[in-house]
Amino acid sequence: MTSRQLIQPAAGQHPSPARAVAVSSAFGTFGELLQGALPDDGPDFLVTLPIARWATATFEYTSARDGVEVFPATKTKARRVAEAVLARYAAGGGSLRLDGSLPEGKGLASSSADLVATARAVASALGVDLPPRVVEDVLREIEPTDGVMYPGVVAFRHRDVELLDRLGALPPMTIVGIDEGGTVDTVAFNRIPKNFTAAERDEYARLLDDVRTAVRAGDAAAIGRVATRSAHLNQRLCRKRTLDAMTALSAEIGGVGVVTAHSGSTIGLLLPHDVPGFRSRLAQAINRCGQLVHRERVLCYQTLASS
């Protein structure tokens, strides 16, 4: 989602430096439906779970200005992305402001969404098209990145910042989750050797085939089975103390499984909207999650069909 406004000099005045303002956004994810590595020393990959929460970037471009000022000032990676896009397409600089509702360090792709929204906003202000493949090229120089530059669910080589496959759209579901606390540095996590066995790599390949088929068929139950298995496989890498309790709760209330932030602090259950008695089941899930953690750490997100 992008909007752009050109700022023109007033009539009768000397022309001012060319300026434009653009606002763009990128969605976040609730962890990943699947994350692992492929056989024969194949690449690490993940499968996204888009949610209806966004990061928003506002960029004001000025052709006579040098450098980029970013707010908040801590968003240094977003500043680097803005400068990289400018270096590709135009001289000048500007100011960048980032907003959104994605918490940081929780496994909800907040950093990836910031960077994608930034690249889109700068390109829009410059009046240039920025396809996802070019966004990949820009972000590859910054950090491992989620696949949120693509609409819908994708399989993505996050360490290489490269699309693996487009899978389609998710059926409508609510994710009822909890934040177990703390934060995880995704960049540092991706540097840790995972030492997947050959058997694990074979299983991840089968799970990728399964989730590809499930998403394209809109099969929520099959999606949930893959997500649950991936959550359990990830326990040795980023343990969730409530995984067993959340898995049992999902089965009890009629959810289709659990999903985890493989490099974050969140875990949730997947509740399809077409399950009988959805509202009462949702209320029960929220209440029971509030018994596992402080109620303010209970999370609710909607799956996102497209960007």
Side-chain angles (χ1 to χ4, degrees):
M1 182 168 54
T2 300
S3 63
R4 180 170 181 258
Q5 177 186 4
L6 295 175
I7 304 176
Q8 304 289 352
Q13 294 182 352
H14 295 293
S16 61
R19 293 197 298 152
V21 177
V23 181
S24 294
S25 63
F27 59 80
T29 70
F30 193 98
E32 301 81 21
L33 290 172
L34 173 64
Q35 183 167 318
L38 294 176
D40 303 319
D41 294 321
D44 288 19
F45 74 96
L46 57 79
V47 176
T48 58
L49 199 175
I51 56 174
R53 295 288 181 95
W54 292 264
T56 301
T58 303
F59 185 69
E60 183 172 345
Y61 168 68
T62 305
S63 63
R65 182 172 176 176
D66 291 327
V68 173
E69 187 176 16
V70 62
F71 307 92
T74 54
K75 302 285 189 176
T76 56
K77 292 175 184 176
R79 176 178 54 77
R80 289 171 59 193
V81 167
E83 292 171 344
V85 176
L86 284 167
R88 278 176 173 258
Y89 296 110
S95 63
L96 171 68
R97 179 173 295 278
L98 289 158
D99 301 285
S101 56
L102 293 165
E104 297 181 2
K106 302 297 184 180
L108 303 187
S110 61
S111 180
S112 296
D114 277 348
L115 302 189
V116 172
T118 294
R120 289 172 173 170
V122 176
S124 179
L126 298 176
V128 300
D129 182 49
L130 197 69
R133 290 290 190 186
V134 178
V135 177
E136 289 178 343
D137 291 343
V138 172
L139 269 56
R140 191 174 294 119
E141 303 301 318
I142 309 297
E143 68 173 9
T145 304
D146 213 318
V148 298
M149 67 286 293
Y150 291 96
V153 181
V154 298
F156 197 75
R157 296 170 57 170
H158 52 287
R159 297 180 69 176
D160 301 323
V161 191
E162 184 177 357
L163 180 70
L164 189 60
D165 195 9
R166 295 177 186 251
L167 275 62
L170 289 170
M173 291 186 282
T174 293
I175 304 153
V176 183
I178 60 176
D179 174 10
E180 292 193 342
T183 59
V184 176
D185 183 330
T186 303
V187 175
F189 179 84
N190 278 300
R191 292 196 187 108
I192 300 170
K194 306 303 187 293
N195 298 320
F196 294 118
T197 66
E200 287 173 328
R201 288 174 178 271
D202 288 343
E203 181 170 9
Y204 281 123
R206 291 193 297 271
L207 290 169
L208 178 57
D209 286 341
D210 289 347
V211 77
R212 180 186 288 114
T213 300
V215 171
R216 290 173 178 169
D219 187 340
I223 292 168
R225 285 194 295 270
V226 171
T228 301
R229 180 57 183 159
S230 188
H232 283 267
L233 285 170
N234 197 61
Q235 281 293 79
R236 71 174 179 84
L237 300 174
C238 187
R239 185 171 182 80
K240 302 297 185 294
R241 66 179 183 275
T242 59
L243 176 58
D244 289 342
M246 289 292 284
T247 303
L249 177 58
S250 175
E252 181 181 337
I253 68 164
V256 294
V258 296
V259 61
T260 189
H262 291 70
S263 58
S265 62
T266 52
I267 181 172
L269 60 85
L270 297 166
L271 188 62
H273 290 183
D274 61 359
V275 66
F278 168 76
R279 291 189 180 278
S280 63
R281 293 174 189 267
L282 176 61
Q284 183 182 0
I286 293 170
N287 181 62
R288 293 284 296 279
C289 284
Q291 296 172 13
L292 295 174
V293 295
H294 294 298
R295 188 165 292 275
E296 62 269 19
R297 289 186 176 176
V298 177
L299 314 167
C300 278
Y301 297 102
Q302 306 297 316
T303 56
L304 184 65
S306 66
S307 61

